[in-house]
Amino acid sequence: MKRLGIILASLTCLFVLSAFSIVENSARYPNVDNTPMQNDDEYMREKMAELNFSEIDIDVEYQGGKEFEAEIDQDRNEPILAKVEDDLNNVYLRGREAFDHIFERANKLDVTSNSTKQQIIDQVLNAFDLPNDYIKIDVEIEFDDGKKVDIEDRK
């Protein structure tokens, strides 16, 4: 019986200390939002506002079954989705890490909805440091002016 009393007293102490810790941290850091997805989405939306397009999807196929895929998908009222699947450099990323990887390169693009097919291909290959000996390239960009460019090229 004495053991049961000690166990119950110990559990009660742990519960009280845990509750105190949560309250203390909330009081100490009142402006901290512990929902990383909201913070990441807000960050990505702010960065996307720096570009002249809202979505980009790049798919490039090379000899030997190697592929490069990079995508930022931004739908209204939905979190931004980003992914990189780079067989050439063994880089596979999702979320904010993928977004940063793509944004760093997409920020170098100097393309508009009026750019030619070849200008867009050249800019994408250059910005993403991709070899130009591809078998197939597909680039889709949705520009802020509402126009969408969908380019496909095969060699």
Side-chain angles (χ1 to χ4, degrees), residues 12-146:
T12 303
C13 285
L14 285 173
F15 177 74
V16 170
L17 289 174
S18 296
F20 177 73
S21 177
I22 292 169
V23 170
E24 180 183 340
N25 284 336
S26 296
R28 188 181 299 169
Y29 307 107
N31 296 324
V32 173
D33 182 359
N34 291 321
T35 53
M37 191 166 161
Q38 287 179 339
N39 289 337
D40 287 350
D41 193 60
E42 182 179 314
Y43 164 81
M44 290 187 277
R45 287 187 192 284
E46 287 174 7
K47 297 300 276 182
M48 287 301 290
E50 298 174 23
L51 303 174
N52 67 336
F53 53 87
S54 58
E55 293 188 5
I56 187 166
D57 187 2
I58 302 165
D59 296 303
V60 188
E61 296 176 15
Y62 292 94
Q63 289 289 341
K66 300 265 186 188
E67 292 184 44
F68 173 86
E69 295 180 44
E71 178 181 8
I72 295 176
D73 185 20
Q74 181 177 202
D75 293 328
R76 211 175 274 211
N77 301 323
E78 294 289 329
I80 291 179
L81 302 176
K83 75 172 183 174
V84 173
E85 295 178 0
D86 181 356
D87 296 338
L88 303 171
N89 299 300
N90 291 320
V91 175
Y92 305 94
L93 308 169
R94 295 244 188 267
R96 183 169 174 171
E97 197 173 12
F99 177 87
D100 286 338
H101 185 87
I102 297 167
F103 181 84
E104 179 183 324
R105 289 149 183 83
N107 201 25
K108 298 175 190 176
L109 294 174
D110 185 22
V111 295
T112 68
S113 57
N114 296 321
S115 297
T116 67
K117 173 181 174 178
Q118 195 57 52
Q119 287 172 330
I120 292 175
I121 290 172
D122 292 344
Q123 289 269 332
V124 166
L125 293 175
N126 186 43
F128 286 84
D129 296 319
L130 296 170
N132 63 2
D133 63 341
Y134 58 86
I135 296 172
K136 178 185 169 191
I137 185 170
D138 185 18
V139 179
E140 296 177 29
I141 303 175
E142 193 170 309
F143 289 94
D144 291 341
D145 64 6

